[in-house]
Amino acid sequence: MKQLISSPYSHGDSSLQQVMMQVVLALIPAFGIHFWLFGWGIITNAILAIIFCLGFEAIIMWLRKRPISNTLFDGSALVTALLLAITIPPLSSWWLILIGSLVAIVFAKQLYGGLGFNPFNPAMVGFVVLLISFPKQMTQWVTPISLGEHISLSGSLQVVFGGGLDALSSATPLDALKTGVGMGQSIESVMATSPIFGQLSGIGWEWVNLAILTGGLWMLWRKTIRWQVPVAMLCSLAAIATLFYLIDPSRYADPLFHIFSGGALLGAFFIATDPVSGATSPRGRIVFGIGVGLLTYIIRNWGGYPDGVAFSILLMNMAAPMIDYYTQPKAFGQKGQRD
Amino acid sequence: MSMLNRKLWKYHGGLHLEDHKSFSNGHESTTLPLPNRLTIPMQQHIGEAAHPIVKVGDRVLKGEMIAEATGRVSAPIHAPTSGTITEIAPLPMPHPSGLDVLSIVLESDGEEQWCALSPTDNYRHATTEELRDKIREAGIVGLGGAGFPSYIKLDPGQHFAIETLILNGAECEPYITCDDRLMRERPHAILDGARIMRHALHANRCIIAIEDNKREAFDVLNSMQSQSGQNDIELVLVPTLYPSGGERQLIKVLTGKEVPSQGRTLDIGIICHNVATAATVADAVIDGIPLISRMVTVTGESISAPQNIRAPIGAPIAELLEFAGRNSGADTQLIMGGPMMGISITDDSLPVIKTSNCLLLQPKLLPKPESPCIRCGECDRVCPAELLPQQLFWHSRAKELEKVQDYNLFDCIECGCCSFVCPSNIPLVHYYRFAKTEVWAQEREKEASNIARKRHEFRLERQEKAEQEKQERMRKKKAALKDKENGKDDAAKKAAIQAAMDRAKAKREANQAQGETNVAEPTPATPDAESESKSES
């Protein structure tokens, strides 16, 4: 019989599954609000993503001749599926989610060796590949229910497996702002003329983002994630946004808009905090977070895409090993010593 | 002088563990009935093994030295009871390596007949050297678990002034209560030991540190000290946090100072001993009794009456377990030491040794399945050495021995906090031990190959030198020979020329003379030429 061969002989009650399930729980408010405001789209997205992600995970584990059930139910593929589902426009066609799941699980995760060995966040790789390959489908965002009509479940399924969403979609606030400013309009006039803007950012989106913030704060409180990455990312994003907002408020949106728009909060609490692909030393996490925050702002304002969170995170994932190398903490008893 | 409101410092990390101390700390300690047979390993301490000075068949008295120290870092061993030596052979002992160690088997005669002891009348009149020698001769080693010969830590050398002596009564590992019981039952011995060690070290201060889950022990020591009217020892309650009993962590808590990485405590003027070691020092110095028994906590869910047992060194573990009562039923796992840093024992016939502070018998724990590391960093949050265990793990696994040292592998104290909190159930400490032994093996190999290489280079050099010398000699010889020949030729030529000139001259003279007289003989020139060439060579 197997037994513990060396100390320690006792173990706390934490498990990988538990960590992953906490992330899943923290996502529930966001999915709930999303469903309430935008309808069935998020649910079909989530169910399809879960089926595809777990399916691909199982197939690869079978091909790699590894025990399937341990890995399948460790929760990591479930988290990837949910993150992918929330970043893809609701009511996306099934094949879009299939491709996203394939890229995320097979290419970004398993081909690198599976959980723990992937240099990039799988969900973000899936999302970015879709964004670059299918720009039209990836920018068809469902209009909030308060602005459009309610689609029934059966209607939603027809859209997902049939196609044709054009009539119901609208630009995201970040997109609308970028287009407007690009055409020479001032931010104030863009926001005044379009019905999609709310108090903090976009109508509906601000509530989803508040729910994400709630889930993120809950994870911080439960110590599922650590404070460095979200704090560093949001502070750096707010700082650079404030700077440019003060320079020219007609061309640059205010910091609150930036934080509550697009993927900033989702990225800060759920994706940049992915420990596998991020920096791991405490100081490194801060550097990592600052990098993501600054890059996000740069891409949003001067890049080709309305949002830059996914790109920023992937870029910083690349830098993580180097960040870790240069931010190693001094060990006990080395404080007074030179390196 | 007990200071409850004294300033204390914090170290990074650590764990609040369930202490399970109430299993065994509520009962008066007991004494193990004398076993018939004691197996006494020669290597119960860090350093060189002791060397037996008895033969099979010898009768020894209780307290008599049966093995002597070999070298500076070593400790002698004494007979725990009177009896006959029946065997001296390599036998298994409780050690993670599982290797056999030369051991002396003593068959007790049940008489407990003591040898002559040499007590010290007043240690205050003794010199540091006398006390140190006494402690060395008594075979005292650190009883907290490491087993480092104690006298060395009472002999810091002239270059180190010791400011503070710390007695470690933290006992931070769960389940273990032997120091707790000892402090409650023999406070005078601990205080005496503290004063003796302080006297030997000329330390300005002496602190006894106790974790605050052992309030009773603190109170007993405190009242004992106030009764005696001496207030020379500071008693300090420190917060219960694993591993505050680690020497470096305890020093940080008490003084705010960090022992330099790879350095020693005396680099910052501090010496740390275990409280049980102090009691043993008092016994050795005041009464002349060597280290022949110790208090062992026998506890765990599979022990029916957990308690602290005073057992002679060499007593079979099984006898202690039987004495405290084994619960029948479930498959059990035996650990010597605590659950965080102890070692697994698979054979309960092995003996109790000087460092056996606890025997923990638990239902067998099945390891949880191991998952991949997700670098969540729970480990670096609890690491008291302020390392990045996740990076150490990564590089240990990849056998990147230079990288693991860059990440300060050798500052790891193997406390087990990282493994305890790891959500992926990775036996991290096991990987670090593996990496450490790999590094040591590599260094030994490097050293061996260095020696071999140097030898080889030296041999090549020597051969080359010899060859060069030979060549040089031959060249010189040849040159000399050539010179000789050349010299001869030259001389002969010169002589021949000289002779020819002489002849010509003679001829001319003869012709002249002929012209005058016509009778003069030509003068022979050769003998002159010959003598000339001889003198030249």
Side-chain angles (χ1 to χ4, degrees), chain A residues 12-30:
Chain A
D13 50 11
S14 67
S15 74
L16 194 57
Q17 215 170 7
Q18 203 182 351
V19 173
M20 296 295 176
M21 286 328 281
Q22 282 177 359
V23 179
V24 171
L25 279 179
L27 277 169
I28 285 177

PDB file of all heavy atoms in Angstrom, chain A residues 12-30:
ATOM      1  N   GLY A  12      -3.161  20.199   5.284  1.00  0.00           N
ATOM      2  CA  GLY A  12      -4.343  21.026   5.471  1.00  0.00           C
ATOM      3  C   GLY A  12      -5.466  20.515   4.590  1.00  0.00           C
ATOM      4  O   GLY A  12      -5.314  19.543   3.874  1.00  0.00           O
ATOM      5  N   ASP A  13      -6.600  21.188   4.618  1.00  0.00           N
ATOM      6  CA  ASP A  13      -7.735  20.630   3.877  1.00  0.00           C
ATOM      7  C   ASP A  13      -7.907  21.274   2.506  1.00  0.00           C
ATOM      8  O   ASP A  13      -8.911  21.080   1.848  1.00  0.00           O
ATOM      9  CB  ASP A  13      -9.022  20.756   4.706  1.00  0.00           C
ATOM     10  CG  ASP A  13      -9.204  22.167   5.220  1.00  0.00           C
ATOM     11  OD1 ASP A  13      -8.448  23.043   4.759  1.00  0.00           O
ATOM     12  OD2 ASP A  13     -10.073  22.390   6.069  1.00  0.00           O
ATOM     13  N   SER A  14      -6.904  22.032   2.055  1.00  0.00           N
ATOM     14  CA  SER A  14      -7.092  22.676   0.764  1.00  0.00           C
ATOM     15  C   SER A  14      -6.840  21.684  -0.368  1.00  0.00           C
ATOM     16  O   SER A  14      -6.075  20.749  -0.226  1.00  0.00           O
ATOM     17  CB  SER A  14      -6.132  23.851   0.627  1.00  0.00           C
ATOM     18  OG  SER A  14      -4.809  23.379   0.569  1.00  0.00           O
ATOM     19  N   SER A  15      -7.518  21.892  -1.468  1.00  0.00           N
ATOM     20  CA  SER A  15      -7.287  21.052  -2.635  1.00  0.00           C
ATOM     21  C   SER A  15      -7.451  21.898  -3.883  1.00  0.00           C
ATOM     22  O   SER A  15      -8.076  22.952  -3.856  1.00  0.00           O
ATOM     23  CB  SER A  15      -8.249  19.872  -2.664  1.00  0.00           C
ATOM     24  OG  SER A  15      -9.534  20.323  -3.020  1.00  0.00           O
ATOM     25  N   LEU A  16      -6.886  21.386  -4.945  1.00  0.00           N
ATOM     26  CA  LEU A  16      -6.933  22.088  -6.220  1.00  0.00           C
ATOM     27  C   LEU A  16      -8.380  22.320  -6.649  1.00  0.00           C
ATOM     28  O   LEU A  16      -8.765  23.401  -7.090  1.00  0.00           O
ATOM     29  CB  LEU A  16      -6.213  21.225  -7.252  1.00  0.00           C
ATOM     30  CG  LEU A  16      -5.849  21.861  -8.562  1.00  0.00           C
ATOM     31  CD1 LEU A  16      -4.991  23.082  -8.331  1.00  0.00           C
ATOM     32  CD2 LEU A  16      -5.107  20.849  -9.427  1.00  0.00           C
ATOM     33  N   GLN A  17      -9.169  21.263  -6.465  1.00  0.00           N
ATOM     34  CA  GLN A  17     -10.576  21.311  -6.837  1.00  0.00           C
ATOM     35  C   GLN A  17     -11.310  22.436  -6.097  1.00  0.00           C
ATOM     36  O   GLN A  17     -12.082  23.181  -6.681  1.00  0.00           O
ATOM     37  CB  GLN A  17     -11.203  19.982  -6.449  1.00  0.00           C
ATOM     38  CG  GLN A  17     -12.258  19.533  -7.387  1.00  0.00           C
ATOM     39  CD  GLN A  17     -12.653  18.108  -7.083  1.00  0.00           C
ATOM     40  OE1 GLN A  17     -12.218  17.512  -6.091  1.00  0.00           O
ATOM     41  NE2 GLN A  17     -13.486  17.547  -7.925  1.00  0.00           N
ATOM     42  N   GLN A  18     -10.948  22.543  -4.803  1.00  0.00           N
ATOM     43  CA  GLN A  18     -11.572  23.562  -3.976  1.00  0.00           C
ATOM     44  C   GLN A  18     -11.231  24.965  -4.501  1.00  0.00           C
ATOM     45  O   GLN A  18     -12.105  25.827  -4.586  1.00  0.00           O
ATOM     46  CB  GLN A  18     -11.017  23.382  -2.564  1.00  0.00           C
ATOM     47  CG  GLN A  18     -11.863  23.936  -1.484  1.00  0.00           C
ATOM     48  CD  GLN A  18     -11.166  23.733  -0.151  1.00  0.00           C
ATOM     49  OE1 GLN A  18     -10.147  23.032  -0.045  1.00  0.00           O
ATOM     50  NE2 GLN A  18     -11.696  24.356   0.870  1.00  0.00           N
ATOM     51  N   VAL A  19      -9.963  25.164  -4.854  1.00  0.00           N
ATOM     52  CA  VAL A  19      -9.537  26.462  -5.374  1.00  0.00           C
ATOM     53  C   VAL A  19     -10.333  26.786  -6.636  1.00  0.00           C
ATOM     54  O   VAL A  19     -10.885  27.883  -6.796  1.00  0.00           O
ATOM     55  CB  VAL A  19      -8.020  26.450  -5.690  1.00  0.00           C
ATOM     56  CG1 VAL A  19      -7.616  27.740  -6.396  1.00  0.00           C
ATOM     57  CG2 VAL A  19      -7.210  26.264  -4.420  1.00  0.00           C
ATOM     58  N   MET A  20     -10.421  25.795  -7.548  1.00  0.00           N
ATOM     59  CA  MET A  20     -11.113  26.015  -8.811  1.00  0.00           C
ATOM     60  C   MET A  20     -12.604  26.272  -8.572  1.00  0.00           C
ATOM     61  O   MET A  20     -13.221  27.118  -9.219  1.00  0.00           O
ATOM     62  CB  MET A  20     -10.938  24.808  -9.732  1.00  0.00           C
ATOM     63  CG  MET A  20      -9.497  24.567 -10.155  1.00  0.00           C
ATOM     64  SD  MET A  20      -8.852  25.905 -11.182  1.00  0.00           S
ATOM     65  CE  MET A  20      -7.150  25.411 -11.397  1.00  0.00           C
ATOM     66  N   MET A  21     -13.180  25.546  -7.629  1.00  0.00           N
ATOM     67  CA  MET A  21     -14.607  25.723  -7.382  1.00  0.00           C
ATOM     68  C   MET A  21     -14.886  27.112  -6.798  1.00  0.00           C
ATOM     69  O   MET A  21     -15.941  27.701  -7.053  1.00  0.00           O
ATOM     70  CB  MET A  21     -15.142  24.633  -6.439  1.00  0.00           C
ATOM     71  CG  MET A  21     -15.282  23.257  -7.074  1.00  0.00           C
ATOM     72  SD  MET A  21     -15.686  23.240  -8.837  1.00  0.00           S
ATOM     73  CE  MET A  21     -17.422  23.566  -8.777  1.00  0.00           C
ATOM     74  N   GLN A  22     -13.938  27.642  -6.037  1.00  0.00           N
ATOM     75  CA  GLN A  22     -14.129  28.997  -5.522  1.00  0.00           C
ATOM     76  C   GLN A  22     -14.163  30.009  -6.659  1.00  0.00           C
ATOM     77  O   GLN A  22     -14.945  30.949  -6.641  1.00  0.00           O
ATOM     78  CB  GLN A  22     -13.026  29.344  -4.524  1.00  0.00           C
ATOM     79  CG  GLN A  22     -13.277  28.695  -3.166  1.00  0.00           C
ATOM     80  CD  GLN A  22     -12.167  28.955  -2.179  1.00  0.00           C
ATOM     81  OE1 GLN A  22     -11.182  29.620  -2.498  1.00  0.00           O
ATOM     82  NE2 GLN A  22     -12.319  28.429  -0.981  1.00  0.00           N
ATOM     83  N   VAL A  23     -13.310  29.772  -7.673  1.00  0.00           N
ATOM     84  CA  VAL A  23     -13.325  30.666  -8.828  1.00  0.00           C
ATOM     85  C   VAL A  23     -14.681  30.566  -9.537  1.00  0.00           C
ATOM     86  O   VAL A  23     -15.286  31.573  -9.919  1.00  0.00           O
ATOM     87  CB  VAL A  23     -12.165  30.332  -9.798  1.00  0.00           C
ATOM     88  CG1 VAL A  23     -12.194  31.252 -11.007  1.00  0.00           C
ATOM     89  CG2 VAL A  23     -10.825  30.432  -9.088  1.00  0.00           C
ATOM     90  N   VAL A  24     -15.158  29.326  -9.674  1.00  0.00           N
ATOM     91  CA  VAL A  24     -16.449  29.122 -10.339  1.00  0.00           C
ATOM     92  C   VAL A  24     -17.566  29.840  -9.564  1.00  0.00           C
ATOM     93  O   VAL A  24     -18.386  30.561 -10.139  1.00  0.00           O
ATOM     94  CB  VAL A  24     -16.753  27.617 -10.469  1.00  0.00           C
ATOM     95  CG1 VAL A  24     -18.181  27.393 -10.952  1.00  0.00           C
ATOM     96  CG2 VAL A  24     -15.752  26.964 -11.422  1.00  0.00           C
ATOM     97  N   LEU A  25     -17.549  29.664  -8.239  1.00  0.00           N
ATOM     98  CA  LEU A  25     -18.571  30.315  -7.416  1.00  0.00           C
ATOM     99  C   LEU A  25     -18.517  31.836  -7.576  1.00  0.00           C
ATOM    100  O   LEU A  25     -19.543  32.497  -7.671  1.00  0.00           O
ATOM    101  CB  LEU A  25     -18.357  29.969  -5.934  1.00  0.00           C
ATOM    102  CG  LEU A  25     -18.887  28.613  -5.473  1.00  0.00           C
ATOM    103  CD1 LEU A  25     -18.572  28.396  -3.999  1.00  0.00           C
ATOM    104  CD2 LEU A  25     -20.401  28.536  -5.694  1.00  0.00           C
ATOM    105  N   ALA A  26     -17.288  32.357  -7.628  1.00  0.00           N
ATOM    106  CA  ALA A  26     -17.132  33.810  -7.739  1.00  0.00           C
ATOM    107  C   ALA A  26     -17.644  34.329  -9.069  1.00  0.00           C
ATOM    108  O   ALA A  26     -17.945  35.517  -9.200  1.00  0.00           O
ATOM    109  CB  ALA A  26     -15.662  34.183  -7.546  1.00  0.00           C
ATOM    110  N   LEU A  27     -17.747  33.441 -10.067  1.00  0.00           N
ATOM    111  CA  LEU A  27     -18.240  33.873 -11.377  1.00  0.00           C
ATOM    112  C   LEU A  27     -19.766  33.870 -11.448  1.00  0.00           C
ATOM    113  O   LEU A  27     -20.363  34.476 -12.327  1.00  0.00           O
ATOM    114  CB  LEU A  27     -17.690  32.951 -12.474  1.00  0.00           C
ATOM    115  CG  LEU A  27     -16.283  33.267 -12.993  1.00  0.00           C
ATOM    116  CD1 LEU A  27     -15.785  32.132 -13.857  1.00  0.00           C
ATOM    117  CD2 LEU A  27     -16.262  34.581 -13.771  1.00  0.00           C
ATOM    118  N   ILE A  28     -20.402  33.176 -10.508  1.00  0.00           N
ATOM    119  CA  ILE A  28     -21.858  33.014 -10.576  1.00  0.00           C
ATOM    120  C   ILE A  28     -22.620  34.343 -10.583  1.00  0.00           C
ATOM    121  O   ILE A  28     -23.507  34.534 -11.414  1.00  0.00           O
ATOM    122  CB  ILE A  28     -22.352  32.046  -9.476  1.00  0.00           C
ATOM    123  CG1 ILE A  28     -21.983  30.625  -9.915  1.00  0.00           C
ATOM    124  CG2 ILE A  28     -23.856  32.165  -9.241  1.00  0.00           C
ATOM    125  CD1 ILE A  28     -22.321  29.557  -8.918  1.00  0.00           C
ATOM    126  N   PRO A  29     -22.274  35.309  -9.710  1.00  0.00           N
ATOM    127  CA  PRO A  29     -23.012  36.580  -9.778  1.00  0.00           C
ATOM    128  C   PRO A  29     -22.948  37.217 -11.162  1.00  0.00           C
ATOM    129  O   PRO A  29     -23.974  37.696 -11.686  1.00  0.00           O
ATOM    130  CB  PRO A  29     -22.309  37.466  -8.750  1.00  0.00           C
ATOM    131  CG  PRO A  29     -21.524  36.573  -7.889  1.00  0.00           C
ATOM    132  CD  PRO A  29     -21.293  35.294  -8.618  1.00  0.00           C
ATOM    133  N   ALA A  30     -21.788  37.198 -11.770  1.00  0.00           N
ATOM    134  CA  ALA A  30     -21.641  37.810 -13.088  1.00  0.00           C
ATOM    135  C   ALA A  30     -22.510  37.106 -14.121  1.00  0.00           C
ATOM    136  O   ALA A  30     -23.192  37.747 -14.936  1.00  0.00           O
ATOM    137  CB  ALA A  30     -20.178  37.782 -13.518  1.00  0.00           C
TER     138      ALA A  30
END
